[in-house]
């Protein structure tokens, strides 16, 4: 199972990378394996400002639907439109082309409060 050391993680199985004040967010390899074949990704919060832990969308797999929680407060500035036609990219490349949203982060310092790769490994028992 892949858990890149250069990313931060949440207890809700999202990963986060930060470039300046813009964070890219997706779900982890662990999460996509737990969900199974992803058939739909929905994000209706584009251009909205949300608080940390608010639901920003959902991911639908063959057997279940799961909410997606915002790891950092900020404005959702971009949605990965490619997921509308190829949601299975989240399964095949969760840390690359399967990213979901970009956020203009309200407080960049909050990034440091997210889980390290080692802490995330402990959380999932990897």
């Amino acid at each position: 199972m892949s858990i890149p050391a250069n990313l931060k993680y949440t207890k809700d199985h999202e990963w986060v990378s930060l470039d300046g004040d813009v964070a890219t967010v997706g779900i982890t390899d662990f999460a996509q394996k737990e969900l199974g074949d992803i058939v739909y990704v929905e994000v209706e919060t584009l251009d909205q400002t949300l608080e940390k832990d608010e639901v920003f969308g959902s991911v639908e797999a063959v057997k279940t639907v799961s909410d997606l929680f915002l790891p950092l407060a900020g404005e959702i500035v971009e949605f990965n439109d490619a997921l509308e036609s190829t949601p299975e990219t989240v399964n095949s490349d969760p840390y690359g082309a399967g990213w979901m949203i970009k956020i203009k982060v309200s407080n960049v310092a909050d990034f440091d409060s997210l889980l390290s790769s080692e802490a995330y490994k402990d959380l999932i028992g990897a």
Side-chain angles (χ1 to χ4, degrees), residues 27 31-41 58-67 91:
I27 65 169
Q32 69 82 19
K33 284 180 178 160
E34 291 290 306
L35 288 167
D37 293 336
I38 293 172
V39 295
Y40 188 68
V41 177
S58 63
V59 62
E60 183 177 342
V62 173
K63 298 179 182 175
T64 189
V65 176
S66 183
D67 285 336
N91 292 115

Side-chain angles (χ1 to χ4, degrees), residues 4-80:
N6 63 320
L7 302 174
K8 293 283 197 164
Y9 300 88
T10 73
K11 61 180 175 41
D12 297 310
H13 310 290
E14 282 97 15
W15 61 263
V16 184
S17 67
L18 190 64
D19 183 11
D21 65 351
V22 176
T24 302
V25 178
I27 65 169
T28 64
D29 192 27
F30 174 84
Q32 69 82 19
K33 284 180 178 160
E34 291 290 306
L35 288 167
D37 293 336
I38 293 172
V39 295
Y40 188 68
V41 177
E42 179 178 55
V43 174
E44 294 184 347
T45 51
L46 188 62
D47 299 324
Q48 293 181 27
T49 299
L50 302 174
E51 293 301 314
K52 181 180 190 281
D53 295 329
E54 281 193 80
V55 173
F56 72 83
S58 63
V59 62
E60 183 177 342
V62 173
K63 298 179 182 175
T64 189
V65 176
S66 183
D67 285 336
L68 298 166
F69 299 95
L70 201 65
L72 299 165
E75 179 185 359
I76 298 173
V77 295
E78 189 175 344
F79 168 64
N80 184 354

Side-chain angles (χ1 to χ4, degrees), residues 100-114:
M100 294 181 175
I101 61 167
K102 294 192 179 191
I103 311 163
K104 184 169 178 23
V105 179
S106 298
N107 184 357
V108 174
D110 290 343
F111 181 74
D112 294 331
S113 69
L114 297 173

